[in-house]
Amino acid sequence: MLRNAAQRFIRFAEEECHDASPLYEFLSQKTSDDEEMLDLASSAAQSGQPMPNLFFAAVHAVLLTGTDHPLARYYPSLTSEADLPEKSWKAFRDFCEKYQEKIKSIMQTRRVQTNEIRRCAYLYPVFCHIYEKTGKPLSMIEIGTSAGLQLLWDRYAYSYGGTKVFGKTDSPVRIDSEVTGSLSLPDAPPPVAAKTGVDLNVLDVGSEEDRRWLDALIWPEHHERRALFKQASRQMQEEKVSLVEGDGVALLPKLASGMPDTTSLVIFHTHVANQMPEEVKESLLESVSELGRIREVFHVYNNISDRLLHLDAYRPGSTDHQTIGKTDGHGRWFEWTL
């Protein structure tokens, strides 16, 4: 069991943290070789959860409550003059030993629900593409919606390396991303008729505890992500978005039945399917396919069979599967092939 946990931390360091979070890369490498830390992380993590993400977010969450400990000096989210990550291990171990019960409690009750707003940078062109093809308003269902911030994709402004701004150009939330490929976008966002988010555990950005957890999920060095989260959270409190708590796969037919027939139904989820067992993934795909036999449905997703972004279009009598390309986990860049 510990060997498997060690491999997960090594992969996290090499594949996700390298060039993205020096602190988490270092702590992951050290954790992978420390039996006590591995035991703490693996004994508390919920089944199916990304263990390193959950473990480090739990530690971060305890720090964000204002806990006075030397570990805080290594977190750029907590100090403007963070010390070198390579010096942090002794303080990290001491912190985890001292607050292990709090860390365990968080890991056993919370889930990795990173509401990464910048992923909207690649979702926005996909939704524009769907509207261009159909000419119908969109009805949106997001599975694994967390706090629903990605459902506000039509309320954000976007920039892709040039001077032109797309989307809702006067939005206080502006998302910058780099794109590889030829991207052509309309002057205004597509019309949206309805939007609903569903999650096993819906989070509320109006709740201080939920907001702190979402903040803790953001890596310590990622100041821009944290700023976007705060801006989008304020925007969410001004919007009316339907968020439903429950099993998104099981509830999908019911949620879809409530969407207007005159719209294009868009079902989407990002970095969620990796937490689903294989049989749940299969059930999701079958459910979407069933819906596509009676109405026009578009399924936008990643992490079902690979990490690429996909667009499946279902119409009665026809199905079209397209691969859009690679995307950065935090939306900093993406490939565009449509």
Side-chain angles (χ1 to χ4, degrees):
M1 180 178 173
L2 292 187
R3 183 176 180 180
N4 178 264
Q7 288 300 314
R8 294 173 73 171
F9 277 94
I10 290 171
R11 285 196 301 271
F12 185 66
E14 296 176 349
E15 298 175 12
E16 299 189 45
C17 299
H18 185 63
D19 290 334
S21 174
L23 179 62
Y24 280 1
E25 181 179 14
F26 174 75
L27 293 176
S28 294
Q29 290 168 338
K30 295 294 287 185
T31 300
S32 72
D33 198 37
D34 189 302
E35 288 192 4
E36 287 186 31
M37 292 298 99
L38 287 173
D39 184 62
L40 171 60
S42 58
S43 64
Q46 297 182 62
S47 176
Q49 288 292 290
M51 186 191 301
N53 305 66
L54 187 62
F55 179 49
F56 291 132
V59 172
H60 198 188
V62 178
L63 280 170
L64 287 172
T65 62
T67 305
D68 184 18
H69 190 277
L71 180 61
R73 76 167 66 112
Y74 300 96
Y75 278 67
S77 53
L78 294 166
T79 175
S80 59
E81 297 181 358
D83 208 338
L84 294 174
E86 291 77 12
K87 298 180 180 180
S88 66
W89 184 242
K90 182 179 179 181
F92 182 81
R93 263 192 123 269
D94 180 75
F95 185 88
C96 289
E97 289 176 357
K98 188 170 291 185
Y99 296 102
Q100 62 175 304
E101 293 308 315
K102 286 187 177 181
I103 293 168
K104 280 184 178 182
S105 176
I106 292 171
M107 292 184 71
Q108 290 165 354
T109 56
R110 289 291 190 176
R111 304 174 67 85
V112 176
Q113 295 177 274
T114 309
N115 218 166
E116 183 51 68
I117 299 94
R118 199 157 50 183
R119 291 174 190 155
C120 290
Y122 58 72
L123 291 173
Y124 181 76
V126 181
F127 300 153
C128 289
H129 173 81
I130 293 171
Y131 177 64
E132 180 186 6
K133 294 296 182 184
T134 68
K136 299 178 184 178
L138 310 181
S139 289
M140 319 296 302
I141 297 176
E142 183 185 19
I143 296 174
T145 195
S146 185
L149 299 182
Q150 287 188 170
L151 280 167
L152 300 185
W153 62 270
D154 59 326
R155 312 299 292 167
Y156 302 150
Y158 301 90
S159 175
Y160 296 97
T163 57
K164 186 166 177 61
V165 179
F166 301 93
K168 192 175 186 302
T169 55
D170 62 347
S171 173
V173 182
R174 174 167 166 168
I175 299 173
D176 298 301
S177 186
E178 297 180 7
V179 57
T180 300
S182 180
L183 190 63
S184 177
L185 293 171
D187 291 333
V192 178
K195 53 177 70 170
T196 296
V198 57
D199 202 298
L200 288 170
N201 179 41
V202 170
L203 299 181
D204 176 11
V205 293
S207 158
E208 184 178 352
E209 287 189 9
D210 284 356
R211 201 165 55 245
R212 184 187 300 121
W213 176 241
L214 287 166
D215 196 357
L217 286 164
I218 299 172
W219 297 358
E221 301 93 341
H222 293 190
H223 303 301
E224 185 179 356
R225 290 177 63 200
R226 187 162 285 104
L228 279 173
F229 165 66
K230 290 178 180 177
Q231 292 165 352
S233 295
R234 287 193 290 267
Q235 182 84 19
M236 172 59 87
Q237 295 182 61
E238 299 175 3
E239 303 282 342
K240 290 184 179 180
V241 179
S242 171
L243 300 181
V244 177
E245 191 156 280
D247 185 329
V249 177
L251 290 174
L252 186 56
K254 180 180 179 181
L255 295 175
S257 69
M259 295 300 183
D261 293 335
T262 54
T263 64
S264 295
L265 177 60
V266 181
I267 300 163
F268 74 101
H269 47 92
T270 62
H271 296 271
V272 170
N274 57 303
Q275 298 184 33
M276 297 178 181
E278 287 302 318
E279 61 271 19
V280 176
K281 294 180 188 178
E282 292 173 8
S283 179
L284 171 59
L285 293 174
E286 179 58 33
S287 184
V288 174
S289 179
E290 285 288 334
L291 289 170
R293 293 188 177 98
I294 57 175
R295 66 174 297 171
E296 189 172 47
V297 179
F298 297 88
H299 187 197
V300 182
Y301 62 92
N302 56 17
N303 288 56
I304 285 187
S305 59
D306 56 40
R307 300 182 71 175
L308 302 177
L309 185 65
H310 296 267
L311 170 60
D312 296 344
Y314 297 87
R315 299 175 180 86
S318 70
T319 304
D320 183 31
H321 300 283
Q322 292 179 291
T323 299
I324 298 169
K326 297 177 182 178
T327 63
D328 172 62
H330 300 134
R332 294 172 301 174
W333 55 263
F334 62 97
E335 295 177 343
W336 183 257
T337 59
L338 295 182

